[in-house]
């Protein structure tokens, strides 16, 4: 199994605040890997560092054998890495169709219409809302749109930052079902999620962050069964 992403000893600061403290982890092809932890543990900061939006003072981020340390954030997506950011960040004034078109903006050639149909297969609701202004969609539909837009770039690694945030339980179930379907289709996914139960239930492997450090790791099943994890994150 080839390594898609390797993060080695990154240290990230916000001014004098040491937010990420020597984190190392990797994601292999075809895996779902999740980073779980309490709010403020450093999960989103880690994703933003991988994406090039933040820079580490040490170590390296290697994606498909290329060091991303000097690659500008707007170029990272052209390498095959797509981030679905926390809070969705869709283009509110554009239609669903236009948002999806923007996802394919970096592509040169390829059958974009075919991929559009693939996105509509995963998210039938988006097809129904194709010509609707994105800002008028429900929270769940906006999350689906953000994921669909990322898929339109044909990513080698899909990064999801808190996809369940602010959604009703029934919609959380739907989103995680879609994540599992993407996994079955061979997508490689790095998932950041406060809902540890849902994340570990779909993940091949997981890493637990506390105050900017990885404190434990294991398979999704191992972490779900761990008494310490149950007590800290699963209300058990």
């Amino acid at each position: 199994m080839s390594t898609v992403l390797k993060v080695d000893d990154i240290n990230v600061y916000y001014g004098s605040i040491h937010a990420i403290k020597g984190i190392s982890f990797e994601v292999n092809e075809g895996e779902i890997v999740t980073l779980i932890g309490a709010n403020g543990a450093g999960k989103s900061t880690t994703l933003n560092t991988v994406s090039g939006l933040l820079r580490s003072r040490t170590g390296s981020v290697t994606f498909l054998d290329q060091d991303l340390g000097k690659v500008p954030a707007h170029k990272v997506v052209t390498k095959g890495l797509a981030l679905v950011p926390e809070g969705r960040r869709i283009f509110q004034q554009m239609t669903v169709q236009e948002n999806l078109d923007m996802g394919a903006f970096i592509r040169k050639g390829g059958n974009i219409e075919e991929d559009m149909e693939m996105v509509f297969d995963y998210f039938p609701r988006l097809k129904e809302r194709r010509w609707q202004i994105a800002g008028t969609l429900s929270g769940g539909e906006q999350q689906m749109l953000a994921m669909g837009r990322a898929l339109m770039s044909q990513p080698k690694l899909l990064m999801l930052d808190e996809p369940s945030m602010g959604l009703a339980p029934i919609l959380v179930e739907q989103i995680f079902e879609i994540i599992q379907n993407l996994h079955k289709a061979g997508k490689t996914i790095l998932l950041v999620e406060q809902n540890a139960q849902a994340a570990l239930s779909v993940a091949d492997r997981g890493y637990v962050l506390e105050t900017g450090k990885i404190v434990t790791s294991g398979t999704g099943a191992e972490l779900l069964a761990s008494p310490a994890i149950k007590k800290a994150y699963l209300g058990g």
Side-chain angles (χ1 to χ4, degrees):
M1 196 185 298
S2 61
T3 301
V4 173
L5 177 71
K6 186 173 178 61
V7 175
D8 185 34
D9 189 32
I10 60 170
N11 283 272
V12 183
Y13 292 76
Y14 292 109
S16 61
I17 297 166
H18 195 177
I20 298 295
K21 301 163 186 168
I23 283 180
S24 299
F25 67 93
E26 59 186 45
V27 181
N28 298 313
E29 188 176 4
E31 282 190 314
I32 296 181
V33 172
T34 187
L35 307 179
I36 65 167
N39 199 14
K43 306 183 302 295
S44 294
T45 300
T46 301
L47 283 197
N48 287 333
T49 305
V50 172
S51 310
L53 297 168
L54 295 169
R55 294 292 174 191
S56 173
R57 290 193 190 174
T58 63
S60 61
V61 176
T62 309
F63 178 62
L64 297 175
D65 297 325
Q66 180 177 3
D67 186 349
L68 295 183
K70 299 281 195 294
V71 180
H74 68 281
K75 294 277 190 192
V76 168
V77 70
T78 67
K79 307 291 179 190
L81 194 156
L83 171 64
V84 179
E86 184 182 342
R88 293 134 206 165
R89 309 278 179 87
I90 58 166
F91 299 107
Q92 299 272 343
Q93 307 304 320
M94 292 183 177
T95 65
V96 166
Q97 172 79 43
E98 287 167 337
N99 268 270
L100 294 174
D101 285 339
M102 289 300 287
F105 180 73
I106 58 146
R107 288 174 52 179
K108 295 177 174 68
N111 195 332
I112 289 173
E113 198 51 49
E114 198 174 283
D115 284 347
M116 188 80 70
E117 288 307 316
M118 175 266 295
V119 167
F120 289 146
D121 283 344
Y122 282 120
F123 307 102
R125 187 70 60 84
L126 296 183
K127 189 164 191 175
E128 293 169 20
R129 305 275 192 270
R130 191 170 189 166
W131 307 112
Q132 193 167 321
I133 298 296
T136 66
L137 298 175
S138 71
E141 290 163 350
Q142 289 190 20
Q143 184 62 50
M144 292 174 192
L145 179 55
M147 291 170 68
R149 181 180 63 187
L151 288 171
M152 286 300 294
S153 70
Q154 292 186 316
K156 304 281 194 316
L157 175 65
L158 179 65
M159 301 199 303
L160 303 172
D161 193 355
E162 303 284 8
S164 77
M165 184 179 278
L167 300 184
I170 186 79
L171 289 171
V172 173
E173 271 182 44
Q174 282 179 25
I175 292 295
F176 275 90
E177 194 176 308
I178 290 161
I179 290 170
Q180 284 182 293
N181 290 339
L182 290 168
H183 185 222
K184 284 175 192 160
K187 295 289 181 195
T188 306
I189 298 169
L190 177 57
L191 169 66
V192 154
E193 182 56 70
Q194 266 185 278
N195 186 335
Q197 177 83 43
L200 293 172
S201 296
V202 301
D204 295 295
R205 294 186 300 111
Y207 296 86
V208 181
L209 271 69
E210 285 180 12
T211 58
K213 293 178 184 169
I214 289 173
V215 293
T216 189
S217 64
T219 67
E222 285 168 352
L223 293 174
L224 268 177
S226 157
I229 299 300
K230 279 183 179 171
K231 187 171 183 215
Y233 301 106
L234 307 176

